[in-house]
Amino acid sequence: MTPENLLAEWARLLFESLADAGVREVVVSPGSRSTPLSWAALACSRLHATRIVDERDAAFFAVGHARVTGVPAVVVCTSGSAAANYFPAIVEAKRARVPLIVVTADRPFELMDAGASQTLDQTKLYGDYVRRFVDVGMPDASDGALAALRRVAAQAVAEATHPDAPGVVHLNVRARKPLEPVSASTEDGRALERRVSALLSAPIVAVPHSPRIASDATVAALASAVARAKRGLVVCGPAGIDDGRTLPALAAFSRVTGFPVYAETTSQLRVAEDDGPGADGLDLLLRSTTFRDAFRPDVVLQIGDSPTSGAWERFVLARPELERHVLTSSGYPDPSSRARSMIVADVPDVLARLAESAKGRSESVPQRRFAAALARLNDAAFGVADGLLRDQAALSEGAATRVVATAVPDGGVFAVGNSLPVRHVDAFVRARRGGPVRVWSQRGVSGIDGVVAGAAGAAMAAAAPTVLLLGDVSALHDVGGFAVAAASTVPVVVVVLNNDGGRIFEQLPFSDSGVPEAEFAFWTTPHGRTFEGLRSLFGVDHAFCRTRAELEAGLAHALERRGCSVLEVPLPPHGARAEYAELARRLESTLAPLVSTLRG
C-alpha cells in the first residue's frame, strides 16, 4: 500500500538533500503541479525562497544570483509552458558557465499524449543546453529509490558546478494528485517519514572539485612565448565574479614582464595599478586607422572569454600572423579560430607560475619601449574622450555612462547591459582606482532579455548596492524584471539610457547602405515610450535626469534607499552615432603625430 505522505516525503528528501549539497537559494513560480516541490522548498530552513510570477524572470534572477555566488540557485515551476519560459536563461547560463538547477514538475505517465491539460513532453526539453537531465520519475517508497533520489541531488550540484564547464542540470519530477502536503496518519506513513529522516541524518556524498592545474610543460611553452616577446600584451575579456585571486596574479605578471594589460569592464580586472603598465583605452585607440596600422603586438595573452570590443575582433581577423595564446578556466573562447594555444586551467595559478619564471630575466628594452609608447597613446586617447565630453553642452550617452560608472560605491555591483551600454563603458570610462567593484553582465549569449531581473538576483546575492546601466529596448524587453527589482532589500538603481530604440544598429555598415528610415526602423525599433509609468505599476521610484547634475544627484539619492529606483536619461535618437563619429575624428587627428613612437 502506498503511504499517504509519499509525495510530500519525496519532495522533502529532494530539497533537504539539495540543501545538504550546498544550495541556498530557491526561486519559485506559482503552479499546481509543483505544489509539493514548492512546499518542501519553503519548509527547508536552510533554503531562502524567492517568489517570482514570470518564469523567464525567475530563471534570469537565479542566473544573476549564481553568477555572484558561484553556487547553483534552484528554480521550481509547474508543468507545461511554464518550463519552456526558462529556456532563454538556460541558454545564457550554459554559454556563461553559470551553475543552475532547474526543477520542473510534470504529469504522471498515464496523462502523456492523451490531451491532458497543461501537459507536454518535458523529457530533455532543453536539449544539449543542460549538462545533465534526470527524469526523477514517480515517487517511490522503496529504500533503493529513496537513496537514489538523495544521490541525484548530490550529483545535480556536482554537475552544475563542474570546473570544466559549470552549467545547468534539469530535474524533471512527476507527481500524481492529490498534490497537497499530507501528514502521516498511518503506520506506513510514519515509517516512511522515519526512513527519510534517517537518510537525511547521514552525511551526503559530496563531490569536491579541484581547479584544473596546467602541466609544467604547458606553462613552460607559454613562458617561452612570453620570454621572446618584444611587444607583448594582455587582453582580458568577460569573466565571472571570481574569488579575488586573478587580479593580484595578473598585476604581478604585468610588473615582471612589462606586458601592458587591456582589461574590459566585464573582465573584473579593469582596476588601475599605479606601478604597472596599463592600456585601458585600447578599444578607443583601435578606432584610429593610423594607430591600427602602426600597432604590431607580437605576443598576446588573452584571458577569459572573447573580448566584447568589435575593434579588437576586427584587428585580430586582419592580423593572421598575430601570436595569440588563450588562458581560460573553462570553455574554448576563440571565435577567430586563430589562437596558437588554448590553456584551460586555473588562471591565477598559471599567471603566478609565468611571473615566477620571468623573475631574474634581463629586462627587455623593446618591451619596455612598447609599453611606454602604448601608455602615452592610451593617455592621449582618453584625453580626447575627456575633451569631447567637456565640449558637449548637453548630457550625452558617453557623459552619462561616465557619471554612472563613477557613482558605483566601493564594494558595490556595477551591472552593465548589452548592446551599446557595455561598449560605452569601455570607450568612455577609465580603469577604476580605489576600491574595486563587482561587475555583473550577461555576456554569455549577449542578449537583452532578463537583464533587470538578473541584476536584481545579483544584488540579492551580493547584498550590496547595485547600479544597472542599460538601454531603453532592454528595459522594455524586461518590464517584468522591475517587479522583481522592486522587492530588493538593497538599493537597485536602474539607469535607462533612452534614445528611443536600438541605436547600435546605426553604427553597423548596414546603416550606410541607403535603407529608407521606415524600413530601417525594423532594426532600430523606435517606440516613443518613457518609463515613469513603472512608479504606479510596480512602486519603484522614478526620475528623469536631463543634465549631469540631475544624474549625479539622482544616483546619490537612489543609492541611499532600499528597493528599485529608475533614473531615465532622455537622449537624442542619433546622438550615439554622432558622438562616436566625432570621437573617431578627434582620435585620428590627435594620434596621427604620436604613433611613430609605437613603431620605435
Side-chain angles (χ1 to χ4, degrees), residues 392-486:
Q392 294 168 345
L395 184 62
S396 69
E397 300 203 18
T401 297
R402 184 175 287 190
V403 170
V404 172
T406 305
V408 181
D410 292 350
V413 176
F414 185 25
V416 186
N418 290 326
S419 196
L420 278 178
V422 68
R423 292 167 172 83
H424 287 340
V425 176
D426 286 329
F428 291 102
V429 181
R430 296 217 66 167
R432 186 179 181 93
R433 295 184 181 275
V437 300
R438 286 165 284 189
V439 179
W440 178 90
S441 66
Q442 289 187 168
R443 294 304 299 173
V445 287
S446 305
I448 63 169
D449 39 358
V451 175
V452 180
M460 172 180 278
T466 298
V467 179
L468 167 62
L469 177 71
L470 81 168
D472 50 295
V473 177
S474 293
L476 286 171
H477 206 282
D478 193 22
V479 168
F482 288 97
V484 179

Side-chain angles (χ1 to χ4, degrees), residues 27-60:
V27 186
V28 178
S29 294
S32 175
R33 192 63 51 166
S34 56
T35 293
L37 303 173
S38 301
W39 188 262
L42 291 168
C44 180
S45 61
R46 292 169 295 161
L47 295 177
H48 176 269
T50 299
R51 55 183 168 87
I52 297 178
V53 173
D54 179 359
E55 286 85 5
R56 188 185 73 158
D57 274 331
F60 274 110

Side-chain angles (χ1 to χ4, degrees), residues 567-583:
L567 303 179
E568 184 173 351
V569 182
L571 294 159
H574 309 299
R577 179 173 60 185
E579 187 171 30
Y580 277 110
E582 177 62 15
L583 180 63

Side-chain angles (χ1 to χ4, degrees), residues 289-339:
T289 302
T290 305
F291 175 84
R292 290 196 304 272
D293 290 344
F295 186 50
R296 288 290 186 274
D298 55 358
V299 174
V300 172
L301 179 59
Q302 175 188 311
I303 296 176
D305 284 345
S306 302
T308 302
S309 171
W312 174 254
E313 180 184 22
R314 292 187 293 272
F315 179 80
V316 170
L317 288 171
R319 301 287 188 277
E321 74 282 359
L322 179 64
E323 183 179 347
R324 184 168 51 90
H325 302 270
V326 178
L327 174 57
T328 181
S329 60
S330 59
Y332 199 99
D334 181 31
S336 70
S337 303
R338 290 177 176 175

Side-chain angles (χ1 to χ4, degrees), residues 213-266:
I213 301 300
S215 68
D216 290 341
T218 297
V219 176
L222 187 55
S224 177
V226 170
R228 66 173 175 268
K230 294 180 173 61
R231 298 179 303 279
L233 175 70
V234 179
V235 176
C236 306
I241 297 172
D242 63 12
D243 57 8
R245 296 165 54 231
T246 304
L247 182 59
L250 176 61
F253 170 82
S254 176
R255 284 193 294 269
V256 172
T257 63
F259 276 40
V261 176
Y262 171 61
E264 293 190 336
T265 299
T266 56

